[in-house]
Amino acid sequence: MAEAKTFQFQFTEFWEAQTGLTFGIKGLLHQETSEFQKIQVLETDAFGRLLLLDGLVMLTDRDEFVYHEMITHPSLCLMEEPERVLVIGGGDGGTVREALRYASVREVDLVEIDGRVIDVCREFFPVVASALDDSRLTIHVADGAEFVRNAPADHYDLVTVDSTDPVGFAEALFGEDFYRECHRLLKPSGILAAQTESPFDRSFRESISDAHRMLGRIFPQVHMYLAHIPTYPTGTWSFTMGSKQWNPVTDFDAQRANRQLAPFLGYLQYYNTDIHAASFALPTFVKRLFVGV
Ligand code: SAM
């Protein structure tokens, strides 16, 4: 007698050739095509819910904390009393959630080009989107490249570029003009923190070197740091920090940072002052990306 077959759906995000990461899928919870991209929410068998934009992994319930903690706290923990944060992209709300943990932060601007991402994440990722109704937050459904051209100078403590990969409508968020505008918006002690893809990913190595070179022409301090994100291509992810004032390693006061983190340290699952120092220690193959930059 034939055995009943149990269907096991799978989704694979191919990183290079036929190599990638495969998720076991329990169901498709949402699918639509917005004005900008395809938006899907899948229920996985091991990582909770999964957000895909144009078929690329954006976040999962299980490991989103790594990215969102690491694009914010290494910068905010360098500053005594950060007040204003600009989040470009980040319509899921994770970066906003982390910035608003600081009592000193009294103004966050979120600039997300696709309002449907915000709506879908409110519905399907309530933990990630948990701070989107905070009274300190202003949501702008707009192009980040356009927004920074019109925003006031000397205004923000931190600008984060929490965007999709540097293609299509996100490409403008990786150019020198954009970075110069971000520099203009930042206070003298301000920091730009951008996600800068994986140094293992051969297709992005040039863009990583380019970003470092461009930022080096604009900011006196440019530092890459790494984090381990299991569901991102290769699992090793980079961020690049451009600072007008701070060296994120030599200027980091762990004792002061721990006092700043104390009110919400229990909520954090990745960032701590040891990780801060370690994340800026780069493997040799990554350092070689910057030789001559
Ligand atoms: N924060 C998530 C993570 O853990 O990496 C994923 C990144 S977030 C979903 C990326 C967002 O950048 C997308 O919602 C996309 O619509 C937005 N985006 C891309 N280009 C943009 C632009 N030029 N201006 C504003 N938002 C943009």
Side-chain angles (χ1 to χ4, degrees):
M1 183 173 161
E3 273 187 34
K5 290 194 182 322
T6 53
F7 277 98
Q8 172 64 45
F9 292 97
Q10 291 185 324
F11 165 78
T12 298
E13 180 183 47
F14 291 106
W15 300 344
E16 189 173 328
Q18 292 308 302
T19 297
L21 177 67
T22 296
F23 294 85
I25 299 300
K26 292 163 67 175
L28 173 64
L29 302 180
H30 181 80
Q31 177 164 269
E32 71 174 81
T33 301
S34 75
E35 181 190 348
F36 295 93
Q37 53 211 330
K38 188 169 186 179
I39 306 172
Q40 295 166 297
V41 180
L42 304 179
E43 186 70 54
T44 73
D45 61 359
F47 274 80
R49 291 179 176 175
L50 163 65
L51 174 66
L52 300 176
L53 294 181
D54 283 342
L56 298 176
V57 172
M58 289 292 122
L59 62 91
T60 76
D61 282 331
R62 185 169 164 190
D63 71 351
E64 58 84 9
F65 65 87
V66 181
Y67 176 97
H68 293 124
E69 290 181 24
M70 288 304 283
I71 201 171
T72 48
H73 299 305
S75 297
L76 293 176
C77 276
L78 281 166
M79 304 172 186
E80 290 281 349
E81 296 276 323
E83 295 177 319
R84 296 195 191 103
V85 177
L86 171 60
V87 179
I88 306 284
D92 50 270
T95 302
V96 165
R97 177 192 67 200
E98 294 306 316
L100 287 171
R101 291 193 193 284
Y102 295 76
S104 65
V105 171
R106 54 192 176 84
E107 179 188 314
V108 175
D109 286 307
L110 171 65
V111 184
E112 163 60 60
I113 201 167
D114 190 346
R116 287 300 300 149
V117 171
I118 299 171
D119 299 339
V120 169
C121 291
R122 279 183 190 276
E123 181 178 353
F124 292 99
F125 297 93
V127 171
V128 182
S130 56
L132 287 180
D133 293 323
D134 190 300
S135 60
R136 294 172 287 171
L137 174 65
T138 304
I139 296 177
H140 311 262
V141 178
D143 178 348
E146 183 68 27
F147 182 90
V148 298
R149 280 195 285 272
N150 302 307
D154 192 8
H155 189 75
Y156 294 103
D157 295 287
L158 171 62
V159 175
T160 65
V161 187
D162 174 9
S163 73
T164 39
D165 296 341
V167 291
F169 51 85
E171 197 166 4
L173 305 182
F174 292 78
E176 187 153 351
D177 291 346
F178 173 76
Y179 289 140
R180 287 192 182 282
E181 289 293 353
C182 292
H183 182 276
R184 179 182 63 79
L185 308 185
L186 286 166
K187 297 178 184 174
S189 57
I191 294 178
L192 167 73
Q195 74 87 2
T196 42
E197 310 294 330
S198 172
F200 266 121
D201 187 329
R202 285 189 277 223
S203 62
F204 285 117
R205 277 196 183 146
E206 195 174 320
S207 67
I208 287 178
S209 302
D210 289 348
H212 215 88
R213 185 179 303 107
M214 281 186 271
L215 290 169
R217 287 198 288 264
I218 302 166
F219 290 93
Q221 294 280 349
V222 180
H223 299 266
M224 174 178 276
Y225 58 102
L226 302 178
H228 312 290
I229 306 178
T231 57
Y232 271 18
T234 82
T236 298
W237 209 253
S238 80
F239 302 85
T240 300
M241 182 190 284
S243 169
K244 292 186 175 182
Q245 171 182 321
W246 305 103
N247 176 308
V249 179
T250 56
D251 293 329
F252 183 62
D253 177 345
Q255 280 191 325
R256 192 191 56 69
N258 276 317
R259 286 196 301 274
Q260 202 170 8
L261 292 166
F264 54 83
L265 193 60
Y267 291 103
L268 303 188
Q269 302 179 71
Y270 190 90
Y271 181 80
N272 59 54
T273 53
D274 297 329
I275 279 283
H276 180 103
S279 66
F280 288 92
L282 300 178
T284 302
F285 84 95
V286 178
K287 289 182 175 183
R288 287 193 179 127
L289 289 175
F290 310 131
V291 170
V293 168

